[in-house]
CSV table of all heavy atoms in Angstrom, one decimal:
chain,number,residue,atom,x,y,z
A,399,MET,N,-80.5,69.5,-100.6
A,399,MET,CA,-80.3,69.5,-99.2
A,399,MET,C,-81.3,68.4,-98.7
A,399,MET,O,-82.4,68.2,-99.2
A,399,MET,CB,-80.7,70.9,-98.7
A,399,MET,CG,-82.1,71.1,-98.1
A,399,MET,SD,-82.5,72.7,-97.6
A,399,MET,CE,-83.1,73.3,-99.1
A,400,ARG,N,-80.9,67.8,-97.6
A,400,ARG,CA,-81.7,66.8,-96.9
A,400,ARG,C,-82.2,67.3,-95.5
A,400,ARG,O,-81.4,67.8,-94.8
A,400,ARG,CB,-80.9,65.6,-96.8
A,400,ARG,CG,-81.7,64.4,-96.1
A,400,ARG,CD,-80.9,63.1,-96.1
A,400,ARG,NE,-80.7,62.5,-97.4
A,400,ARG,CZ,-81.6,61.9,-98.2
A,400,ARG,NH1,-82.8,61.8,-97.8
A,400,ARG,NH2,-81.3,61.5,-99.4
A,401,ILE,N,-83.4,67.2,-95.3
A,401,ILE,CA,-84.0,67.5,-94.0
A,401,ILE,C,-84.7,66.3,-93.5
A,401,ILE,O,-85.6,65.9,-94.1
A,401,ILE,CB,-84.9,68.8,-94.0
A,401,ILE,CG1,-84.1,70.0,-94.4
A,401,ILE,CG2,-85.5,69.0,-92.7
A,401,ILE,CD1,-84.8,71.3,-94.6
A,402,GLY,N,-84.2,65.7,-92.4
A,402,GLY,CA,-84.8,64.4,-92.0
A,402,GLY,C,-84.5,63.4,-93.0
A,402,GLY,O,-83.3,63.3,-93.4
A,403,ARG,N,-85.5,62.7,-93.5
A,403,ARG,CA,-85.2,61.7,-94.5
A,403,ARG,C,-85.7,62.2,-95.9
A,403,ARG,O,-85.7,61.4,-96.9
A,403,ARG,CB,-86.0,60.4,-94.2
A,403,ARG,CG,-85.4,59.7,-93.0
A,403,ARG,CD,-86.0,58.4,-92.7
A,403,ARG,NE,-87.3,58.6,-92.1
A,403,ARG,CZ,-88.2,57.7,-91.9
A,403,ARG,NH1,-88.0,56.5,-92.3
A,403,ARG,NH2,-89.3,58.0,-91.2
A,404,THR,N,-86.1,63.5,-96.0
A,404,THR,CA,-86.6,63.9,-97.3
A,404,THR,C,-85.6,64.9,-97.9
A,404,THR,O,-84.9,65.7,-97.4
A,404,THR,CB,-87.9,64.7,-97.0
A,404,THR,OG1,-88.8,63.9,-96.3
A,404,THR,CG2,-88.6,65.2,-98.3
A,405,GLN,N,-85.5,64.8,-99.3
A,405,GLN,CA,-84.6,65.6,-100.1
A,405,GLN,C,-85.3,66.7,-100.7
A,405,GLN,O,-86.4,66.5,-101.2
A,405,GLN,CB,-84.0,64.7,-101.2
A,405,GLN,CG,-82.9,65.4,-102.0
A,405,GLN,CD,-81.6,65.5,-101.2
A,405,GLN,OE1,-81.3,64.7,-100.2
A,405,GLN,NE2,-80.8,66.5,-101.5
A,406,TYR,N,-84.7,67.9,-100.6
A,406,TYR,CA,-85.3,69.1,-101.2
A,406,TYR,C,-84.2,69.8,-102.1
A,406,TYR,O,-83.1,69.6,-101.9
A,406,TYR,CB,-85.8,70.1,-100.1
A,406,TYR,CG,-86.8,69.6,-99.2
A,406,TYR,CD1,-86.5,69.0,-98.0
A,406,TYR,CD2,-88.1,69.8,-99.6
A,406,TYR,CE1,-87.5,68.5,-97.2
A,406,TYR,CE2,-89.1,69.4,-98.8
A,406,TYR,CZ,-88.8,68.7,-97.6
A,406,TYR,OH,-89.8,68.2,-96.8
A,407,GLU,N,-84.7,70.5,-103.0
A,407,GLU,CA,-83.8,71.3,-104.0
A,407,GLU,C,-84.2,72.8,-103.9
A,407,GLU,O,-85.3,73.1,-103.8
A,407,GLU,CB,-84.0,70.7,-105.4
A,407,GLU,CG,-83.1,71.4,-106.3
A,407,GLU,CD,-83.2,70.8,-107.8
A,407,GLU,OE1,-84.0,69.9,-108.0
A,407,GLU,OE2,-82.6,71.3,-108.7
A,408,VAL,N,-83.2,73.6,-104.0
A,408,VAL,CA,-83.4,75.0,-104.0
A,408,VAL,C,-83.1,75.4,-105.5
A,408,VAL,O,-82.0,75.1,-106.0
A,408,VAL,CB,-82.4,75.8,-103.1
A,408,VAL,CG1,-82.6,77.3,-103.2
A,408,VAL,CG2,-82.6,75.4,-101.6
A,409,ARG,N,-84.1,76.0,-106.2
A,409,ARG,CA,-83.9,76.5,-107.5
A,409,ARG,C,-84.1,78.0,-107.6
A,409,ARG,O,-85.0,78.5,-106.9
A,409,ARG,CB,-84.9,75.8,-108.4
A,409,ARG,CG,-84.9,74.3,-108.5
A,409,ARG,CD,-85.9,73.7,-109.4
A,409,ARG,NE,-85.9,72.3,-109.3
A,409,ARG,CZ,-86.8,71.5,-109.8
A,409,ARG,NH1,-87.9,72.1,-110.4
A,409,ARG,NH2,-86.8,70.2,-109.7
A,410,GLY,N,-83.4,78.5,-108.5
A,410,GLY,CA,-83.6,80.1,-108.7
A,410,GLY,C,-82.3,80.7,-108.9
A,410,GLY,O,-81.2,80.2,-108.9
A,411,LYS,N,-82.4,82.1,-109.0
A,411,LYS,CA,-81.2,82.9,-109.1
A,411,LYS,C,-81.6,84.4,-108.9
A,411,LYS,O,-82.8,84.7,-108.8
A,411,LYS,CB,-80.6,82.8,-110.5
A,411,LYS,CG,-81.4,83.3,-111.6
A,411,LYS,CD,-80.7,83.1,-112.9
A,411,LYS,CE,-81.6,83.7,-114.1
A,411,LYS,NZ,-80.9,83.9,-115.3
A,412,ASP,N,-80.6,85.2,-108.7
A,412,ASP,CA,-80.9,86.7,-108.6
A,412,ASP,C,-81.8,86.9,-107.3
A,412,ASP,O,-82.7,87.8,-107.5
A,412,ASP,CB,-81.5,87.3,-109.8
A,412,ASP,CG,-80.5,87.2,-111.0
A,412,ASP,OD1,-79.3,87.2,-110.8
A,412,ASP,OD2,-81.0,87.1,-112.1
A,413,GLU,N,-81.5,86.2,-106.2
A,413,GLU,CA,-82.1,86.5,-105.0
A,413,GLU,C,-83.6,86.2,-104.9
A,413,GLU,O,-84.4,86.6,-104.1
A,413,GLU,CB,-82.0,88.0,-104.6
A,413,GLU,CG,-80.5,88.3,-104.4
A,413,GLU,CD,-80.2,89.7,-104.0
A,413,GLU,OE1,-81.0,90.6,-104.2
A,413,GLU,OE2,-79.1,90.0,-103.6
A,414,VAL,N,-84.1,85.3,-105.9
A,414,VAL,CA,-85.5,84.8,-105.8
A,414,VAL,C,-85.4,83.3,-106.0
A,414,VAL,O,-84.8,82.8,-107.0
A,414,VAL,CB,-86.4,85.4,-106.9
A,414,VAL,CG1,-87.8,84.7,-106.9
A,414,VAL,CG2,-86.5,86.9,-106.8
A,415,PHE,N,-86.0,82.5,-105.1
A,415,PHE,CA,-85.7,81.0,-105.1
A,415,PHE,C,-87.0,80.3,-104.8
A,415,PHE,O,-87.9,80.9,-104.1
A,415,PHE,CB,-84.6,80.6,-104.1
A,415,PHE,CG,-83.3,81.3,-104.3
A,415,PHE,CD1,-83.1,82.5,-103.8
A,415,PHE,CD2,-82.5,80.7,-105.2
A,415,PHE,CE1,-81.8,83.1,-103.9
A,415,PHE,CE2,-81.2,81.3,-105.5
A,415,PHE,CZ,-80.9,82.5,-104.8
A,416,ILE,N,-87.1,79.1,-105.2
A,416,ILE,CA,-88.2,78.2,-104.8
A,416,ILE,C,-87.6,76.9,-104.2
A,416,ILE,O,-86.5,76.6,-104.4
A,416,ILE,CB,-89.1,77.7,-106.0
A,416,ILE,CG1,-88.4,77.0,-107.1
A,416,ILE,CG2,-89.9,79.0,-106.5
A,416,ILE,CD1,-89.3,76.4,-108.2
A,417,LEU,N,-88.4,76.3,-103.3
A,417,LEU,CA,-88.0,75.1,-102.6
A,417,LEU,C,-88.9,73.9,-103.2
A,417,LEU,O,-90.1,74.0,-103.2
A,417,LEU,CB,-88.3,75.2,-101.1
A,417,LEU,CG,-87.6,76.4,-100.5
A,417,LEU,CD1,-88.2,76.6,-99.0
A,417,LEU,CD2,-86.1,76.1,-100.4
A,418,VAL,N,-88.2,72.9,-103.7
A,418,VAL,CA,-88.8,71.8,-104.4
A,418,VAL,C,-88.7,70.5,-103.6
A,418,VAL,O,-87.5,70.2,-103.2
A,418,VAL,CB,-88.3,71.7,-105.8
A,418,VAL,CG1,-89.0,70.5,-106.6
A,418,VAL,CG2,-88.5,73.0,-106.6
A,419,HIS,N,-89.8,69.7,-103.3
A,419,HIS,CA,-89.7,68.5,-102.7
A,419,HIS,C,-89.3,67.5,-103.9
A,419,HIS,O,-90.0,67.3,-104.8
A,419,HIS,CB,-91.1,68.1,-102.2
A,419,HIS,CG,-91.2,66.8,-101.6
A,419,HIS,ND1,-91.8,65.8,-102.2
A,419,HIS,CD2,-90.7,66.3,-100.4
A,419,HIS,CE1,-91.8,64.7,-101.5
A,419,HIS,NE2,-91.1,65.0,-100.3
A,420,GLU,N,-88.0,67.0,-103.8
A,420,GLU,CA,-87.5,66.2,-104.9
A,420,GLU,C,-88.3,65.0,-105.3
A,420,GLU,O,-88.4,64.7,-106.5
A,420,GLU,CB,-86.0,65.9,-104.6
A,420,GLU,CG,-85.1,67.1,-105.0
A,420,GLU,CD,-83.6,66.7,-105.1
A,420,GLU,OE1,-83.3,65.5,-104.9
A,420,GLU,OE2,-82.9,67.6,-105.3
A,421,PRO,N,-88.7,64.2,-104.3
A,421,PRO,CA,-89.4,63.0,-104.8
A,421,PRO,C,-90.7,63.2,-105.6
A,421,PRO,O,-90.9,62.5,-106.6
A,421,PRO,CB,-89.8,62.3,-103.4
A,421,PRO,CG,-88.8,62.8,-102.5
A,421,PRO,CD,-88.5,64.1,-102.9
A,422,SER,N,-91.4,64.3,-105.3
A,422,SER,CA,-92.6,64.5,-106.0
A,422,SER,C,-92.5,65.7,-107.1
A,422,SER,O,-93.3,65.8,-108.0
A,422,SER,CB,-93.7,64.9,-105.0
A,422,SER,OG,-93.4,66.2,-104.5
A,423,GLY,N,-91.6,66.6,-106.9
A,423,GLY,CA,-91.4,67.7,-107.8
A,423,GLY,C,-92.3,68.9,-107.3
A,423,GLY,O,-92.4,69.9,-108.0
A,424,ASP,N,-93.0,68.7,-106.2
A,424,ASP,CA,-93.9,69.8,-105.7
A,424,ASP,C,-93.1,71.0,-105.2
A,424,ASP,O,-92.1,70.8,-104.5
A,424,ASP,CB,-94.8,69.3,-104.6
A,424,ASP,CG,-95.8,68.2,-105.1
A,424,ASP,OD1,-96.1,68.1,-106.4
A,424,ASP,OD2,-96.4,67.5,-104.3
A,425,VAL,N,-93.6,72.1,-105.5
A,425,VAL,CA,-93.1,73.3,-104.9
A,425,VAL,C,-93.6,73.4,-103.5
A,425,VAL,O,-94.8,73.5,-103.3
A,425,VAL,CB,-93.4,74.6,-105.6
A,425,VAL,CG1,-92.9,75.9,-105.0
A,425,VAL,CG2,-92.7,74.5,-107.0
A,426,VAL,N,-92.7,73.6,-102.4
A,426,VAL,CA,-93.2,73.6,-101.0
A,426,VAL,C,-92.9,75.0,-100.4
A,426,VAL,O,-93.4,75.2,-99.3
A,426,VAL,CB,-92.6,72.5,-100.2
A,426,VAL,CG1,-93.0,71.1,-100.7
A,426,VAL,CG2,-91.1,72.6,-100.1
A,427,GLY,N,-92.2,75.8,-101.1
A,427,GLY,CA,-92.0,77.2,-100.6
A,427,GLY,C,-91.3,78.0,-101.6
A,427,GLY,O,-90.8,77.6,-102.7
A,428,ALA,N,-91.1,79.3,-101.3
A,428,ALA,CA,-90.4,80.3,-102.1
A,428,ALA,C,-89.9,81.4,-101.2
A,428,ALA,O,-90.5,81.7,-100.1
A,428,ALA,CB,-91.4,80.8,-103.1
A,429,PHE,N,-88.8,82.0,-101.5
A,429,PHE,CA,-88.3,83.1,-100.8
A,429,PHE,C,-87.5,84.1,-101.6
A,429,PHE,O,-87.1,83.8,-102.7
A,429,PHE,CB,-87.4,82.6,-99.6
A,429,PHE,CG,-86.2,81.8,-99.9
A,429,PHE,CD1,-85.0,82.3,-100.1
A,429,PHE,CD2,-86.4,80.4,-100.2
A,429,PHE,CE1,-83.9,81.5,-100.4
A,429,PHE,CE2,-85.3,79.6,-100.5
A,429,PHE,CZ,-84.0,80.2,-100.6
A,430,TYR,N,-87.3,85.3,-101.2
A,430,TYR,CA,-86.6,86.3,-101.9
A,430,TYR,C,-85.9,87.3,-100.9
A,430,TYR,O,-86.3,87.4,-99.8
A,430,TYR,CB,-87.6,87.2,-102.8
A,430,TYR,CG,-88.6,87.8,-102.1
A,430,TYR,CD1,-88.5,89.2,-101.7
A,430,TYR,CD2,-89.9,87.3,-101.8
A,430,TYR,CE1,-89.4,89.9,-101.1
A,430,TYR,CE2,-90.8,88.0,-101.0
A,430,TYR,CZ,-90.6,89.3,-100.7
A,430,TYR,OH,-91.6,90.0,-100.0
A,431,ALA,N,-84.8,87.9,-101.4
A,431,ALA,CA,-84.2,88.9,-100.7
A,431,ALA,C,-85.0,90.2,-100.8
A,431,ALA,O,-85.5,90.6,-101.8
A,431,ALA,CB,-82.7,89.1,-101.3
A,432,GLU,N,-85.1,90.8,-99.6
A,432,GLU,CA,-85.9,92.1,-99.5
A,432,GLU,C,-85.0,93.2,-100.1
A,432,GLU,O,-83.8,93.4,-99.7
A,432,GLU,CB,-86.2,92.4,-98.1
A,432,GLU,CG,-87.3,91.4,-97.6
A,432,GLU,CD,-88.0,92.0,-96.4
A,432,GLU,OE1,-87.7,93.1,-96.0
A,432,GLU,OE2,-88.8,91.2,-95.8
A,433,PRO,N,-85.6,93.9,-101.1
A,433,PRO,CA,-84.8,95.1,-101.7
A,433,PRO,C,-84.5,96.1,-100.6
A,433,PRO,O,-85.3,96.4,-99.7
A,433,PRO,CB,-85.8,95.6,-102.7
A,433,PRO,CG,-87.1,95.0,-102.5
A,433,PRO,CD,-86.9,93.8,-101.6
A,434,ASP,N,-83.4,96.7,-100.8
A,434,ASP,CA,-82.9,97.8,-99.9
A,434,ASP,C,-82.8,97.4,-98.4
A,434,ASP,O,-82.7,98.2,-97.5
A,434,ASP,CB,-83.9,99.0,-99.9
A,434,ASP,CG,-84.0,99.5,-101.4
A,434,ASP,OD1,-83.0,99.5,-102.1
A,434,ASP,OD2,-85.1,99.9,-101.8
A,435,GLU,N,-82.8,96.1,-98.1
A,435,GLU,CA,-82.6,95.6,-96.7
A,435,GLU,C,-81.7,94.4,-96.7
A,435,GLU,O,-82.0,93.3,-96.7
A,435,GLU,CB,-83.9,95.3,-96.0
A,435,GLU,CG,-84.7,96.4,-95.8
A,435,GLU,CD,-86.0,96.1,-94.9
A,435,GLU,OE1,-85.7,95.6,-93.8
A,435,GLU,OE2,-87.0,96.4,-95.3
A,436,PRO,N,-80.3,94.6,-96.9
A,436,PRO,CA,-79.3,93.6,-97.0
A,436,PRO,C,-79.4,92.6,-95.8
A,436,PRO,O,-79.6,92.9,-94.7
A,436,PRO,CB,-78.0,94.3,-96.9
A,436,PRO,CG,-78.3,95.7,-97.4
A,436,PRO,CD,-79.7,95.9,-96.9
A,437,GLY,N,-79.5,91.3,-96.2
A,437,GLY,CA,-79.5,90.2,-95.2
A,437,GLY,C,-80.9,89.8,-94.8
A,437,GLY,O,-81.0,88.7,-94.2
A,438,TRP,N,-81.9,90.5,-95.2
A,438,TRP,CA,-83.3,90.2,-94.8
A,438,TRP,C,-83.9,89.4,-96.0
A,438,TRP,O,-83.8,89.7,-97.1
A,438,TRP,CB,-84.1,91.3,-94.6
A,438,TRP,CG,-83.8,91.9,-93.2
A,438,TRP,CD1,-83.1,93.0,-92.9
A,438,TRP,CD2,-84.4,91.4,-91.9
A,438,TRP,NE1,-83.1,93.2,-91.5
A,438,TRP,CE2,-83.8,92.2,-90.9
A,438,TRP,CE3,-85.3,90.4,-91.6
A,438,TRP,CZ2,-84.1,92.0,-89.6
A,438,TRP,CZ3,-85.5,90.2,-90.3
A,438,TRP,CH2,-85.0,91.0,-89.3
A,439,TRP,N,-84.6,88.3,-95.6
A,439,TRP,CA,-85.3,87.4,-96.5
A,439,TRP,C,-86.7,87.2,-96.1
A,439,TRP,O,-87.0,87.0,-95.0
A,439,TRP,CB,-84.6,86.0,-96.6
A,439,TRP,CG,-83.2,86.1,-97.1
A,439,TRP,CD1,-82.1,86.4,-96.4
A,439,TRP,CD2,-82.7,85.9,-98.5
A,439,TRP,NE1,-80.9,86.4,-97.2
A,439,TRP,CE2,-81.4,86.0,-98.5
A,439,TRP,CE3,-83.5,85.5,-99.6
A,439,TRP,CZ2,-80.7,86.0,-99.7
A,439,TRP,CZ3,-82.7,85.4,-100.8
A,439,TRP,CH2,-81.4,85.6,-100.8
A,440,ARG,N,-87.6,87.2,-97.1
A,440,ARG,CA,-89.0,87.0,-96.8
A,440,ARG,C,-89.5,85.8,-97.7
A,440,ARG,O,-89.0,85.7,-98.9
A,440,ARG,CB,-89.8,88.2,-97.2
A,440,ARG,CG,-91.3,88.1,-96.9
A,440,ARG,CD,-92.1,89.3,-97.1
A,440,ARG,NE,-91.6,90.5,-96.3
A,440,ARG,CZ,-92.0,90.8,-95.1
A,440,ARG,NH1,-92.9,90.0,-94.5
A,440,ARG,NH2,-91.6,91.8,-94.4
A,441,GLY,N,-90.3,85.0,-97.2
A,441,GLY,CA,-90.8,83.9,-98.0
A,441,GLY,C,-91.9,83.0,-97.3
A,441,GLY,O,-92.3,83.5,-96.2
A,442,ALA,N,-92.3,82.0,-97.9
A,442,ALA,CA,-93.3,81.1,-97.3
A,442,ALA,C,-92.9,79.6,-97.6
A,442,ALA,O,-92.4,79.3,-98.6
A,442,ALA,CB,-94.7,81.5,-97.9
A,443,SER,N,-93.2,78.8,-96.6
A,443,SER,CA,-93.1,77.4,-96.8
A,443,SER,C,-94.1,76.7,-95.9
A,443,SER,O,-94.4,77.2,-94.8
A,443,SER,CB,-91.7,76.9,-96.5
A,443,SER,OG,-91.4,77.2,-95.1
A,444,TRP,N,-94.7,75.7,-96.4
A,444,TRP,CA,-95.7,74.9,-95.7
A,444,TRP,C,-96.9,75.8,-95.2
A,444,TRP,O,-97.4,75.7,-94.1
A,444,TRP,CB,-95.1,74.1,-94.5
A,444,TRP,CG,-94.0,73.3,-94.9
A,444,TRP,CD1,-92.6,73.4,-94.6
A,444,TRP,CD2,-94.0,72.2,-95.8
A,444,TRP,NE1,-91.9,72.4,-95.1
A,444,TRP,CE2,-92.7,71.7,-95.9
A,444,TRP,CE3,-95.0,71.6,-96.6
A,444,TRP,CZ2,-92.4,70.6,-96.7
A,444,TRP,CZ3,-94.7,70.5,-97.4
A,444,TRP,CH2,-93.4,70.0,-97.4
A,445,GLY,N,-97.2,76.9,-95.9
A,445,GLY,CA,-98.3,77.7,-95.6
A,445,GLY,C,-98.0,78.9,-94.6
A,445,GLY,O,-98.9,79.6,-94.2
A,446,LYS,N,-96.7,79.0,-94.2
A,446,LYS,CA,-96.4,80.0,-93.2
A,446,LYS,C,-95.5,81.1,-93.9
A,446,LYS,O,-94.5,80.7,-94.4
A,446,LYS,CB,-95.6,79.4,-92.0
A,446,LYS,CG,-96.4,78.4,-91.2
A,446,LYS,CD,-95.7,78.2,-89.9
A,446,LYS,CE,-94.5,77.1,-90.0
A,446,LYS,NZ,-93.9,76.7,-88.8
A,447,VAL,N,-95.9,82.3,-93.8
A,447,VAL,CA,-95.1,83.4,-94.2
A,447,VAL,C,-94.1,83.8,-93.1
A,447,VAL,O,-94.5,84.0,-92.0
A,447,VAL,CB,-96.0,84.6,-94.7
A,447,VAL,CG1,-95.1,85.8,-95.1
A,447,VAL,CG2,-97.0,84.2,-95.8
A,448,ARG,N,-92.8,84.0,-93.5
A,448,ARG,CA,-91.9,84.2,-92.5
A,448,ARG,C,-90.8,85.3,-93.1
A,448,ARG,O,-90.7,85.4,-94.3
A,448,ARG,CB,-91.1,83.0,-92.1
A,448,ARG,CG,-92.1,81.9,-91.6
A,448,ARG,CD,-91.5,80.6,-91.5
A,448,ARG,NE,-90.8,80.5,-90.3
A,448,ARG,CZ,-90.1,79.3,-90.0
A,448,ARG,NH1,-90.1,78.4,-90.8
A,448,ARG,NH2,-89.5,79.2,-88.8
A,449,ARG,N,-90.1,85.8,-92.1
A,449,ARG,CA,-89.0,86.8,-92.5
A,449,ARG,C,-87.9,86.6,-91.6
A,449,ARG,O,-88.0,86.4,-90.3
A,449,ARG,CB,-89.6,88.2,-92.3
A,449,ARG,CG,-88.5,89.3,-92.7
A,449,ARG,CD,-89.1,90.6,-92.4
A,449,ARG,NE,-88.3,91.7,-93.0
A,449,ARG,CZ,-87.9,92.7,-92.3
A,449,ARG,NH1,-88.2,92.9,-91.0
A,449,ARG,NH2,-87.1,93.6,-92.9
A,450,PHE,N,-86.6,86.4,-92.2
A,450,PHE,CA,-85.5,86.1,-91.4
A,450,PHE,C,-84.3,87.1,-91.8
A,450,PHE,O,-84.2,87.4,-93.0
A,450,PHE,CB,-85.0,84.7,-91.7
A,450,PHE,CG,-85.9,83.6,-91.2
A,450,PHE,CD1,-86.5,82.7,-92.2
A,450,PHE,CD2,-86.0,83.4,-89.9
A,450,PHE,CE1,-87.3,81.7,-91.7
A,450,PHE,CE2,-86.8,82.4,-89.5
A,450,PHE,CZ,-87.5,81.5,-90.3
A,451,TYR,N,-83.5,87.3,-90.8
A,451,TYR,CA,-82.2,88.0,-91.1
A,451,TYR,C,-81.1,87.0,-91.1
A,451,TYR,O,-80.8,86.3,-90.1
A,451,TYR,CB,-82.0,89.0,-90.0
A,451,TYR,CG,-80.7,89.8,-90.2
A,451,TYR,CD1,-80.5,90.8,-91.2
A,451,TYR,CD2,-79.5,89.6,-89.4
A,451,TYR,CE1,-79.4,91.4,-91.5
A,451,TYR,CE2,-78.4,90.3,-89.6
A,451,TYR,CZ,-78.3,91.2,-90.6
A,451,TYR,OH,-77.1,91.9,-90.9
A,452,ILE,N,-80.6,86.7,-92.3
A,452,ILE,CA,-79.5,85.8,-92.6
A,452,ILE,C,-78.5,86.4,-93.5
A,452,ILE,O,-78.5,86.2,-94.7
A,452,ILE,CB,-80.1,84.5,-93.2
A,452,ILE,CG1,-81.4,84.0,-92.5
A,452,ILE,CG2,-79.1,83.4,-93.2
A,452,ILE,CD1,-82.1,82.9,-93.2
A,453,PRO,N,-77.6,87.2,-92.9
A,453,PRO,CA,-76.6,87.8,-93.7
A,453,PRO,C,-75.5,86.9,-94.3
A,453,PRO,O,-75.1,86.0,-93.6
A,453,PRO,CB,-75.9,88.8,-92.8
A,453,PRO,CG,-76.1,88.2,-91.5
A,453,PRO,CD,-77.4,87.5,-91.5
A,454,GLY,N,-75.2,87.1,-95.6
A,454,GLY,CA,-74.1,86.3,-96.2
A,454,GLY,C,-74.3,84.8,-96.3
A,454,GLY,O,-73.2,84.1,-96.5
A,455,ALA,N,-75.4,84.4,-96.3
A,455,ALA,CA,-75.7,82.9,-96.4
A,455,ALA,C,-75.9,82.4,-97.9
A,455,ALA,O,-76.3,83.2,-98.7
A,455,ALA,CB,-76.9,82.5,-95.6
A,456,GLU,N,-75.7,81.2,-98.1
A,456,GLU,CA,-75.9,80.6,-99.4
A,456,GLU,C,-77.4,80.3,-99.5
A,456,GLU,O,-78.0,80.0,-98.5
A,456,GLU,CB,-75.1,79.3,-99.6
A,456,GLU,CG,-73.6,79.6,-99.6
A,456,GLU,CD,-73.2,80.4,-100.9
A,456,GLU,OE1,-73.7,80.2,-102.0
A,456,GLU,OE2,-72.3,81.3,-100.7
A,457,PRO,N,-77.9,80.2,-100.8
A,457,PRO,CA,-79.4,79.9,-100.9
A,457,PRO,C,-79.8,78.6,-100.3
A,457,PRO,O,-80.9,78.5,-99.7
A,457,PRO,CB,-79.5,79.9,-102.4
A,457,PRO,CG,-78.5,80.8,-102.9
A,457,PRO,CD,-77.4,80.6,-102.0
A,458,VAL,N,-79.0,77.6,-100.3
A,458,VAL,CA,-79.3,76.3,-99.6
A,458,VAL,C,-79.6,76.5,-98.1
A,458,VAL,O,-80.4,75.9,-97.5
A,458,VAL,CB,-78.3,75.2,-100.1
A,458,VAL,CG1,-77.0,75.4,-99.4
A,458,VAL,CG2,-78.9,73.8,-99.7
A,459,ASP,N,-78.7,77.3,-97.5
A,459,ASP,CA,-78.8,77.5,-96.1
A,459,ASP,C,-80.1,78.3,-95.8
A,459,ASP,O,-80.7,78.0,-94.8
A,459,ASP,CB,-77.6,78.3,-95.5
A,459,ASP,CG,-76.3,77.5,-95.8
A,459,ASP,OD1,-76.4,76.3,-95.7
A,459,ASP,OD2,-75.3,78.1,-96.1
A,460,ILE,N,-80.4,79.3,-96.6
A,460,ILE,CA,-81.6,80.1,-96.4
A,460,ILE,C,-82.8,79.2,-96.6
A,460,ILE,O,-83.8,79.3,-95.8
A,460,ILE,CB,-81.6,81.3,-97.4
A,460,ILE,CG1,-80.4,82.2,-97.0
A,460,ILE,CG2,-82.9,82.1,-97.2
A,460,ILE,CD1,-80.1,83.2,-98.1
A,461,GLY,N,-82.8,78.4,-97.6
A,461,GLY,CA,-83.9,77.4,-97.9
A,461,GLY,C,-84.1,76.5,-96.7
A,461,GLY,O,-85.2,76.2,-96.2
A,462,ALA,N,-83.0,76.0,-96.1
A,462,ALA,CA,-83.2,75.1,-95.0
A,462,ALA,C,-83.8,75.8,-93.8
A,462,ALA,O,-84.6,75.3,-93.1
A,462,ALA,CB,-81.8,74.6,-94.5
A,463,ARG,N,-83.5,77.1,-93.6
A,463,ARG,CA,-84.1,77.9,-92.5
A,463,ARG,C,-85.6,78.0,-92.7
A,463,ARG,O,-86.4,77.9,-91.8
A,463,ARG,CB,-83.4,79.2,-92.4
A,463,ARG,CG,-84.0,80.1,-91.3
A,463,ARG,CD,-83.3,79.7,-89.9
A,463,ARG,NE,-83.8,80.5,-88.9
A,463,ARG,CZ,-83.3,81.6,-88.5
A,463,ARG,NH1,-82.2,82.0,-89.0
A,463,ARG,NH2,-83.9,82.3,-87.5
A,464,PHE,N,-86.0,78.3,-93.9
A,464,PHE,CA,-87.4,78.4,-94.2
A,464,PHE,C,-88.2,77.1,-94.0
A,464,PHE,O,-89.4,77.1,-93.8
A,464,PHE,CB,-87.7,79.0,-95.6
A,464,PHE,CG,-87.7,80.5,-95.7
A,464,PHE,CD1,-86.5,81.1,-96.0
A,464,PHE,CD2,-88.7,81.2,-95.3
A,464,PHE,CE1,-86.5,82.5,-96.0
A,464,PHE,CE2,-88.7,82.6,-95.3
A,464,PHE,CZ,-87.6,83.2,-95.6
A,465,LEU,N,-87.5,76.0,-94.2
A,465,LEU,CA,-88.2,74.6,-94.1
A,465,LEU,C,-88.3,74.2,-92.6
A,465,LEU,O,-88.9,73.2,-92.3
A,465,LEU,CB,-87.5,73.6,-95.0
A,465,LEU,CG,-87.7,73.8,-96.4
A,465,LEU,CD1,-86.8,72.8,-97.2
A,465,LEU,CD2,-89.1,73.6,-96.8
A,466,GLN,N,-87.6,74.9,-91.7
A,466,GLN,CA,-87.6,74.4,-90.3
A,466,GLN,C,-88.9,74.7,-89.7
A,466,GLN,O,-89.6,75.6,-90.0
A,466,GLN,CB,-86.5,75.2,-89.5
A,466,GLN,CG,-85.1,74.7,-89.9
A,466,GLN,CD,-84.1,75.5,-89.1
A,466,GLN,OE1,-84.4,76.5,-88.4
A,466,GLN,NE2,-82.9,75.1,-89.2
């Protein structure tokens, strides 16, 4: 996924993912689906812990939301 001029990659499976800055390979965030609360995601990126309700979205869309 591209945000601005920077490319990021979402890696993971089974409702646990990391966000990777592709040029450097640095992990810039992580997020996971909250158990027993469908559609809710909790994670952190750029030092901010956040929680979003994003039902039925693909991991790349959820990762983009955490990077905003």
Side-chain angles (χ1 to χ4, degrees):
M399 104 183 85
R400 182 173 294 283
I401 297 179
R403 290 186 282 171
T404 306
Q405 187 72 26
Y406 297 92
E407 181 180 357
V408 178
R409 298 180 188 169
K411 63 179 184 171
D412 298 330
E413 302 178 340
V414 176
F415 301 92
I416 61 171
L417 301 166
V418 178
H419 179 252
E420 280 194 358
S422 67
D424 293 341
V425 174
V426 296
F429 59 97
Y430 63 92
E432 290 197 5
D434 303 323
E435 294 193 48
W438 282 99
W439 295 85
R440 184 177 299 272
S443 60
W444 307 116
K446 292 193 284 186
V447 176
R448 301 164 87 182
R449 183 177 188 236
F450 293 113
Y451 180 69
I452 312 171
E456 295 295 318
V458 69
D459 299 323
I460 298 165
R463 181 77 181 268
F464 274 96
L465 289 173
Q466 292 179 347

